[in-house]
Amino acid sequence: MDILIVAIILFLAIFAIKISNRSGIPSLLIFIVFGIIFSKFGFDFNNYEIADKFASLALMIIIFQGGFSTKWKMAKPVAREAIIMSLFGTLLTALITGIFCHYFLKVSYLEGMLLGSVISSTDFASVSNILRSQNLNLKYSTAPLLELESGSNDPTAYTLTMIFLSLLLGREILVPLTIFTQIAFGLVVGFGVSLIFMKIVRIAKFDRDGLFIIFLAATALFTFSFANLIKGNGYLATYVFGIYVGNQQFKGKRQSVFFLDGITSLLQIGLFFMLGLLSNVDAFISHLPEALAVCLFLLLVSRPFATFLLLAPFKGPRNQKLMISLAGIRGAAAIAFAILVINSGVKLNMDIYHIVFGVCVISALLQGSIMPWVSRKLDILDPNDTVLKNFNDYQDKSELGFIQTVIRPGSRWINQPVSTLNLAFNIIVAKIERRGKTIVPRGSTVLKEDDLVVLGGEVYFDRASDELVELTIPHSHPWANKTVKEINLPDDELIIMVQTRDNEIIVPTGATIICEGDTLVTIKANEDDPSFKGLKKLKRK
């Protein structure tokens, strides 16, 4: 019977995900509702110890997947803003909200700060779900900023929660030292494990035995546990490991993307369903006014204040700051930290679980539902592109790749039908964009000047990860302001593509000038290639 119930829950969860993708309502809200409904039908569950362990595991995997799917190339231009919001934005939000909770809920300052810390971080799963399902490709690189901030701010909220929880429990704690060890050890473990992991992956042949996914999962668990063991921040270490590994190319990565998607979805279903089971409907309703007040204060005061204050030096437009303020949805981390607080045995003058539970439900319902509408009202939505380009797993899941080219003035393809292109190999004209409109290409479709032609084909996977190399030309680089023919490249190396600072793609000739800030793609011969060895012998002679 228990297994049958689990199967029914999973079937309902699939249905819920479909509803979420169409409506934009975060799936966590629907899972929670399922849990509440099942609890009303007599499925009692109130074991906070088991809930704490499961929530920690689920949150760790969610954070790892968040880092793994973050495309650093897209996030790098807004990394400063995202990291500042992740660290100081979360801190400011916690402190301001904590002061409000102290006066509004009539609790001590420490209890108010504890509650503020628990709900201070933005939920990556909710933000990511809304961005993807509604294709909210936001201007000014707002989507990657939100992705990086929401994926990395849970460690800050965890550190703050542990500090105020320790103070309430009467434990001796040196706050500056705790913050330093949490951040420093978390970063060291995250980067250290990442480097070792990649070295092992390059040497070992896990793909032959189907063991790569097991190795990846075991390494993520080790990273989290080891960082916690040495008093570092396990969530931070896991996120760093995820973002580092997710931006590398290696055999078995594509399969791991599907595995992580599946296991993360399963853990989210279990986590939020369990949270619904833990809730008491009467307690939830009785604390709903308090939760609503705290949620509105977060939405209208503390999150906007932190956002506008911290992003002021970056001169971003006002509509971007408003969108970032709205996107501060509370979710998995907040409820997981609330369970941690309850499981600690601390005595509080408030029902922290149901207040946090209510805040998350209201936040997901309110903010999650209006984000698409508000993005259009703020004129921050760019409908001519896809937000999916900001996520690693979008490209990694697909065996197809797309390139674009523009029909320039004087091109011999102007006024020629698609059927005359005579494309070689396994390549197809996927679409044509003309003056902002998409044209479905047929053989008789005639190409015009300034048409943007998108070609599709099978993606090449560079197994060695060092034959095709991407290089950005920094300031004072010896290649800067030189033509390609002036660069003394080895005979086994060739520049095959140049991307300018304006994102224009150029197939270089000898006369192409390399400028500072350009990104080059070079190809280098494999040293195991017999022709390369022969070339080296000739060069020695």
Side-chain angles (χ1 to χ4, degrees), residues 93-95 97-99 101-102 105 107-121 157-169 333-334 337-342 344-353 355-356:
T93 301
L95 296 180
T97 307
I99 293 171
C101 292
H102 161 69
L105 300 177
V107 295
S108 68
Y109 272 111
L110 284 180
E111 288 184 58
M113 293 300 173
L114 177 64
L115 178 55
S117 301
V118 167
I119 58 176
S120 61
S121 64
Y158 174 77
T159 298
L160 292 172
T161 299
M162 293 306 297
I163 287 173
F164 288 112
L165 180 60
S166 297
L167 292 172
L168 279 165
L169 289 169
F337 297 157
I339 293 174
L340 182 151
V341 170
I342 293 171
S344 70
V346 66
K347 302 297 181 184
L348 300 174
N349 294 314
M350 59 178 170
D351 186 346
I352 191 169
Y353 180 80
I355 293 175
V356 172

Side-chain angles (χ1 to χ4, degrees), residues 14 64 78 87 90 100-101 179 242 270 303 305 405 409 431 456 502:
I14 294 172
F64 172 72
V78 290
L87 293 173
T90 306
F100 172 78
C101 292
I179 295 173
R303 170 80 176 180
F305 177 81
T405 187
K431 75 169 184 175
D502 298 326

Side-chain angles (χ1 to χ4, degrees), residues 74-274:
M74 300 299 294
K76 187 178 179 180
V78 290
R80 287 182 303 170
E81 296 95 314
I83 293 171
I84 286 172
M85 284 296 296
S86 175
L87 293 173
F88 301 105
T90 306
L91 175 62
L92 265 179
T93 301
L95 296 180
I96 296 170
T97 307
I99 293 171
F100 172 78
C101 292
H102 161 69
Y103 287 106
F104 180 75
L105 300 177
K106 302 294 190 292
V107 295
S108 68
Y109 272 111
L110 284 180
E111 288 184 58
M113 293 300 173
L114 177 64
L115 178 55
S117 301
V118 167
I119 58 176
S120 61
S121 64
T122 300
D123 184 58
F124 173 83
S126 298
V127 173
S128 173
N129 172 258
I130 294 169
L131 291 175
R132 293 182 189 227
S133 64
Q134 301 300 304
N135 193 27
L136 299 185
N137 188 55
L138 306 175
K139 298 176 183 177
Y140 320 118
S141 297
T142 306
L145 194 160
L146 287 172
E147 176 199 358
L148 186 59
E149 185 231 345
S150 62
S152 62
N153 61 8
D154 289 338
T156 306
Y158 174 77
T159 298
L160 292 172
T161 299
M162 293 306 297
I163 287 173
F164 288 112
L165 180 60
S166 297
L167 292 172
L168 279 165
L169 289 169
R171 296 172 182 166
E172 292 186 4
I173 179 173
L174 295 174
V175 175
L177 180 62
T178 300
I179 295 173
F180 174 78
T181 55
Q182 284 272 302
I183 295 175
F185 292 172
L187 289 174
V188 169
V189 171
F191 281 113
V193 172
S194 299
L195 294 173
I196 295 171
F197 175 86
M198 290 309 304
K199 286 186 179 295
I200 295 174
V201 166
R202 302 294 186 212
I203 298 171
K205 303 296 182 182
F206 289 112
D207 55 290
R208 295 179 180 175
D209 303 314
L211 298 177
F212 175 77
I213 290 174
I214 299 175
F215 179 58
L216 179 66
T219 308
L221 291 170
F222 171 83
T223 304
F224 177 74
S225 302
F226 183 70
N228 285 337
L229 183 66
I230 62 173
K231 306 303 181 183
N233 193 310
Y235 295 114
L236 176 59
T238 305
Y239 183 74
V240 169
F241 173 60
I243 201 169
Y244 186 94
V245 173
N247 284 274
Q248 303 293 318
Q249 291 298 322
F250 47 85
K251 193 72 179 288
K253 184 182 179 183
R254 185 170 182 271
Q255 292 82 354
S256 65
V257 168
F258 287 102
F259 168 77
L260 282 173
D261 261 6
I263 195 68
T264 302
S265 296
L266 186 62
L267 288 171
Q268 285 179 349
I269 292 167
L271 173 61
F272 296 122
F273 182 81
M274 180 187 67

Side-chain angles (χ1 to χ4, degrees), residues 71 74 130-144 375 380-391 394-395 402-404 431 433 436-438 452 454 499 502-503:
K71 191 171 184 179
M74 300 299 294
I130 294 169
L131 291 175
R132 293 182 189 227
S133 64
Q134 301 300 304
N135 193 27
L136 299 185
N137 188 55
L138 306 175
K139 298 176 183 177
Y140 320 118
S141 297
T142 306
S375 66
I380 196 172
L381 187 63
D382 181 5
N384 297 319
D385 207 344
T386 175
V387 74
L388 296 178
K389 67 182 181 181
N390 298 300
F391 299 92
Y394 170 63
Q395 184 67 38
F402 299 95
I403 59 174
Q404 66 180 34
K431 75 169 184 175
E433 287 189 3
K437 294 183 178 180
T438 298
L452 187 148
V454 179
Q499 182 179 28
D502 298 326
N503 292 322

Side-chain angles (χ1 to χ4, degrees), residues 11-81:
F11 281 130
L12 290 173
I14 294 172
F15 178 68
I17 292 172
K18 294 295 184 183
I19 294 175
S20 173
N21 290 339
R22 290 184 179 181
S23 66
I25 299 173
S27 54
L28 71 88
L29 182 61
I30 304 175
F31 301 151
I32 286 173
V33 170
F34 284 161
I36 293 173
I37 292 172
F38 271 72
S39 69
K40 289 295 288 183
F41 279 95
F43 293 91
D44 293 327
F45 178 76
N46 57 4
N47 191 323
Y48 281 95
E49 185 175 352
I50 292 177
D52 183 22
K53 292 178 180 178
F54 183 79
S56 296
L57 174 65
L59 184 60
M60 184 272 291
I61 297 296
I62 292 170
I63 289 174
F64 172 72
Q65 198 267 347
F68 194 85
S69 66
T70 296
K71 191 171 184 179
W72 181 248
K73 184 177 181 180
M74 300 299 294
K76 187 178 179 180
V78 290
R80 287 182 303 170
E81 296 95 314

